[in-house]
Amino acid sequence: MRTTDVARHDEAKCLWPARATLGEGPFWMAAEGALYWLDIPGRKVHRLELGGGAQATWDTPLRIASLAPRRSGGFIAGTEQGLAFYEPRTGRLERMLDPEPQRPHNRCNDGKVDAEGRFWVGTMDDDEKAPTGALYRFDAQGHLARIDEGYTVTNGPAFSPDGRTLYVNDSPRRVTYAFDLAPDGTASRRREFLRFEEAHGFPDGMTVDAEGGLWIAFYAGGCVRRFSPTGDWLAEYRLPVSKTTSVAFGGERLDRLFVTTGRVGLGAAELEAQPLAGGLFELDPGVRGVAPVPYAG
């Protein structure tokens, strides 16, 4: 990781002090003008309308760690029991498949849709100890492909604006990997793109902007950092909470950056010092994001 002149920012705004146990998985729904996000252990889906500020929350039948809209309606979800189709308003959940039935201690974690409408999802050891997790690609025809393995906690993924680079985090190892990504979804030439020190925290959820910058939330790092496509550390945005978990661009112009956070594992003194832990925050990134694509299935 190369350090240039890192721009420091400290202007995070809390939009929703939801006190989520582990907020995660934010994504923008342009058709609704709303941001969705999750509380994984709290078993909740949250929705915030940016125009009027209306809030909605639905309980989930399983722990859902990732969620993305489907072109045919509803959502695709990465759950503690594999992939599923889900509609939060009705509570209907249709289980599709478990990618790892032979690994009962694993669960799905972060997931994103690429420009071709394929859902990429990682798995992880639920105890966050063993390197039993893997990265999968799930296409519109229902075909599942294992792309990479040996992860303890798979996070991300993210895709460069031109669709040629795939980024994936293994959070406990404090490593961000990059892959070459072909139009047919083949990922190759895995290499270590970024490696972080203990003081930086753990690289968690991430996204890219229209200029190719990679934005990573740092769990136990209390910040979001932006990196160039060549690995330069460009900016750091501090938040008033330590458990920053994931990021997503949204808003009418895709020029607003939303950050989920958690409060899991914080002691009484830490919670007193971080009353907004578990809230949804907004940063002013100064750049625009890439329009999200729905799962094609």
Side-chain angles (χ1 to χ4, degrees), residues 2 167 193-194 212 227-232:
R2 295 183 295 276
Y167 301 101
F193 179 68
L194 297 167
F227 301 89
S228 76
T230 55
D232 293 314

Side-chain angles (χ1 to χ4, degrees), residues 120-134:
W120 296 71
V121 63
T123 59
M124 60 173 281
D125 171 28
D126 213 0
D127 293 327
E128 302 182 20
K129 295 178 180 178
T132 57

Side-chain angles (χ1 to χ4, degrees), residues 220-245:
C223 69
V224 174
R225 298 183 177 105
R226 183 186 185 224
F227 301 89
S228 76
T230 55
D232 293 314
W233 180 7
L234 302 177
E236 178 175 279
Y237 292 74
R238 303 296 305 181
L239 282 83
V241 298
S242 60
K243 302 293 181 73
T244 43
T245 57

Side-chain angles (χ1 to χ4, degrees), residues 138-163:
F138 187 63
D139 67 21
Q141 292 72 42
H143 300 141
L144 183 74
R146 180 178 290 189
I147 304 302
D148 198 19
E149 57 186 4
Y151 294 79
T152 304
V153 179
T154 312
N155 267 310
F159 310 92
S160 62
D162 63 9

Side-chain angles (χ1 to χ4, degrees), residues 100-176:
E100 298 170 340
Q102 77 283 10
R103 296 175 179 175
H105 296 292
N106 275 14
R107 67 167 175 84
C108 288
N109 200 42
D110 263 4
K112 296 280 183 62
V113 178
D114 68 14
E116 303 300 323
R118 298 171 294 226
F119 186 59
W120 296 71
V121 63
T123 59
M124 60 173 281
D125 171 28
D126 213 0
D127 293 327
E128 302 182 20
K129 295 178 180 178
T132 57
L135 175 68
Y136 295 89
R137 184 191 68 234
F138 187 63
D139 67 21
Q141 292 72 42
H143 300 141
L144 183 74
R146 180 178 290 189
I147 304 302
D148 198 19
E149 57 186 4
Y151 294 79
T152 304
V153 179
T154 312
N155 267 310
F159 310 92
S160 62
D162 63 9
R164 296 178 180 177
T165 305
L166 162 69
Y167 301 101
V168 183
N169 287 330
D170 191 341
S171 297
R173 289 194 177 112
R174 294 187 170 92
V175 173
T176 301

Side-chain angles (χ1 to χ4, degrees), residues 171 174 196-204 217-223 225:
S171 297
R174 294 187 170 92
F196 303 98
E197 300 173 2
E198 183 176 353
H200 291 140
F202 300 94
D204 201 331
F218 281 81
Y219 189 81
C223 69
R225 298 183 177 105

